[in-house]
Amino acid sequence: MPYRTMNDTRNILIVSGACYPELTPRAFRTTELARQLARRGHRVTLLLPNRAIFHEHPLREEGLEVIFASGPVEGAEGSAVSRRNGRLRRFMPEIVQKAVLYFYCHELWVKYDPGLCARLAELRGPFDAVLSISYPAAVHLAVARAMRRNPVLRRAVTIAEFSDPPFRGDVAQNVFPGYYLWLKRWGRLFDWFAVPVEKALPCYTPYMDRSRIRVIPQGFDLDAIPLPDYVPHSEPTFAYAGRFYENIRDPQFFFDFLETVDSPFCFDLYINHLDDRFADMIRRAQQRVRGRIVLHDPLPRERLIGRLAEADFLVNFDNTTSNATPSKLIDYAIARRPILSFNDRTFDAGAFRAALRGDYAGQVRGIDLADYDIRTVAARFLALIDEGKRTDR
């Protein structure tokens, strides 16, 4: 799609729970899209939670205005609800936690920010489009509630973007089915839905009309990251960047395997949040393996990709669920190093030992970076806006 002329400028409101300088896939998604839409000449208003980190390191781009949710500024310790629930969970046995979280949906109630809804209700626009970005789905709930109170939002083309299937996050894999019916009810207020991968569609079609869903990948600025020249290492060096999750992305099997490797290696870990269980797992493995396991401080995305480009190859731990594709695979592809991707069911010890010898026959293939170019992704959102409001909801 060609760039618009000034006469085609759109007023676009983006509502998100994450943004620069946070180091999460959701933050990258919001940051890249907001910047690109502004660069294309559109007037973009980005509404974020009222957190100190966003005030201290504001996102800047010509044509982009950042505003914040109503209420007091939230510090690094998190919201009062989140702190309270964290304290309560420490005293609950795991089976009790699961029972409580089945009925008390963490993704909605703990993550819900009433300040987003309050600020949305008072905006006067006008807006041609409102783009609500999850995770969490509580962002969409805040937008839906505000639409009932603010006709300025109802007149805009409204799009709910789901980065992950709702109510299937890292805290509780299953919730009371009534939440899905509730999602279907308030989801009718949106004109369109966007999901990042085709294989996730079965997670949405029971609650959303397929004709209202568009598959739009996460976008990246492919020209913004200079890569160093690759120089092979004297000892095999591989890297992982991301997080670990119990039951979804648990690497215990891999660290157990590394104890059986009888040759030197270096495993670089770039993890932006490390739970106590996984920190203990890494410490134990560091003492038991023959090679080196090095835990690094988190890095901004551009610097991280440059560091990944220096490794001999990269490892990705697949989610055990089949309805999401880790966005780190795209960052890995940008780094242009061989990628081995697996989970505890698909891990091939022989293929990994071959990679340690420089044989990458088991690497991931078929990632077309052109599909993830932020210019292409932004154009697809603009095309969806141009389709206009749905009248058959």
Side-chain angles (χ1 to χ4, degrees):
M1 176 182 290
Y3 279 74
R4 294 176 174 276
T5 66
M6 291 305 294
N7 291 334
D8 294 322
T9 297
R10 297 286 188 263
N11 292 307
I12 301 173
L13 171 65
I14 299 177
V15 186
S16 179
C19 188
Y20 171 87
E22 293 178 329
L23 303 177
T24 66
R26 288 91 185 178
F28 300 150
R29 178 179 291 108
T30 298
T31 302
E32 296 276 17
L33 184 59
R35 280 176 166 165
Q36 182 61 25
L37 290 172
R39 288 168 183 166
R40 294 177 73 106
H42 300 284
R43 291 187 289 270
V44 179
T45 303
L46 175 58
L47 173 58
L48 298 172
N50 197 12
R51 296 182 194 144
I53 189 171
F54 299 140
H55 289 277
E56 294 164 0
H57 307 278
L59 182 64
R60 301 185 189 278
E61 190 70 43
E62 184 177 352
L64 171 65
E65 179 187 9
V66 179
I67 61 176
F68 300 98
S70 301
V73 176
E74 180 183 307
E77 68 279 2
S79 69
V81 173
S82 179
R83 296 196 304 273
R84 180 201 66 195
N85 288 357
R87 290 193 296 269
L88 290 175
R89 287 177 63 194
R90 283 197 291 270
F91 297 103
M92 291 184 183
E94 184 176 355
I95 190 171
V96 175
Q97 289 187 39
K98 289 182 177 179
V100 170
L101 292 171
Y102 180 76
F103 293 100
Y104 179 80
C105 181
H106 180 276
E107 187 177 340
L108 281 182
W109 304 129
V110 176
K111 299 290 185 178
Y112 182 74
D113 184 348
L116 284 178
C117 182
R119 187 66 193 274
L120 284 163
E122 65 187 24
L123 294 179
R124 292 294 169 258
F127 300 109
D128 298 297
V130 177
L131 174 56
S132 178
I133 297 180
S134 73
Y135 171 86
V139 174
H140 299 330
L141 178 58
V143 174
R145 286 178 168 174
M147 277 195 278
R148 296 184 183 278
R149 298 162 56 184
N150 189 343
V152 169
L153 304 181
R154 293 197 299 272
R155 287 193 288 267
V157 178
T158 51
I159 304 170
E161 189 273 355
F162 283 91
S163 57
D164 294 300
F167 315 144
R168 300 189 186 189
D170 58 302
V171 177
Q173 291 186 315
N174 299 290
V175 298
F176 181 62
Y179 284 111
Y180 290 97
L181 298 177
W182 193 31
L183 166 66
K184 183 176 182 178
R185 179 172 175 268
W186 52 260
R188 291 194 185 103
L189 294 172
F190 290 92
D191 297 298
W192 307 101
F193 302 96
V195 301
V197 291
E198 188 92 21
K199 66 182 180 181
L201 285 172
C203 297
Y204 301 96
T205 49
Y207 313 102
M208 304 168 189
D209 186 338
R210 174 64 182 88
S211 66
R212 295 170 58 202
I213 303 175
R214 298 292 184 270
V215 178
I216 304 179
Q218 179 170 352
F220 300 84
D221 186 349
L222 303 180
D223 300 326
I225 303 173
L227 298 180
D229 293 331
Y230 166 67
V231 179
H233 295 79
S234 58
E235 62 181 18
T237 297
F238 52 98
Y240 170 79
R243 285 189 64 176
F244 299 136
Y245 299 97
E246 282 195 65
N247 304 317
I248 298 175
R249 198 185 305 157
D250 189 333
Q252 181 66 62
F253 73 96
F254 184 68
F255 285 89
D256 291 342
F257 163 78
L258 290 179
E259 293 183 29
T260 71
V261 176
D262 58 4
S263 57
F265 64 82
C266 180
F267 183 18
D268 289 315
L269 287 165
Y270 301 90
I271 300 177
N272 56 32
H273 178 81
L274 194 59
D275 294 335
D276 291 342
R277 173 179 171 257
F278 295 120
D280 290 340
M281 177 192 68
I282 292 171
R283 281 193 291 268
R284 289 195 302 270
Q286 286 173 322
Q287 297 168 1
R288 296 173 181 175
V289 300
R290 179 171 178 179
R292 294 184 296 126
I293 299 175
V294 184
L295 185 60
H296 299 273
D297 292 332
L299 294 173
R301 178 171 169 267
E302 291 78 6
R303 288 180 56 198
L304 173 61
I305 293 175
R307 192 73 65 84
L308 296 176
E310 297 175 353
D312 292 314
F313 65 97
L314 307 172
V315 295
N316 173 63
F317 298 103
D318 288 332
N319 294 342
T320 54
T321 55
S322 62
N323 49 47
T325 297
S327 60
K328 73 170 63 63
L329 280 178
I330 313 306
D331 281 346
Y332 282 12
I334 294 172
R336 303 193 184 281
R337 301 307 308 138
I339 305 165
L340 272 65
S341 188
F342 43 74
N343 57 38
D344 60 343
R345 297 192 301 267
T346 62
F347 179 64
D348 184 337
F352 192 87
R353 290 182 187 277
L356 291 175
R357 299 190 300 268
D359 177 359
Y360 306 120
Q363 68 178 297
V364 173
R365 302 183 188 276
I367 298 177
D368 185 354
L369 285 177
D371 293 337
Y372 303 92
D373 190 316
I374 188 58
R375 293 166 294 192
T376 301
V377 169
R380 294 178 69 175
F381 273 108
L382 290 169
L384 189 54
I385 293 170
D386 288 344
E387 288 194 47
K389 295 191 65 64
R390 292 292 297 259
T391 59
D392 57 345
R393 288 177 293 171

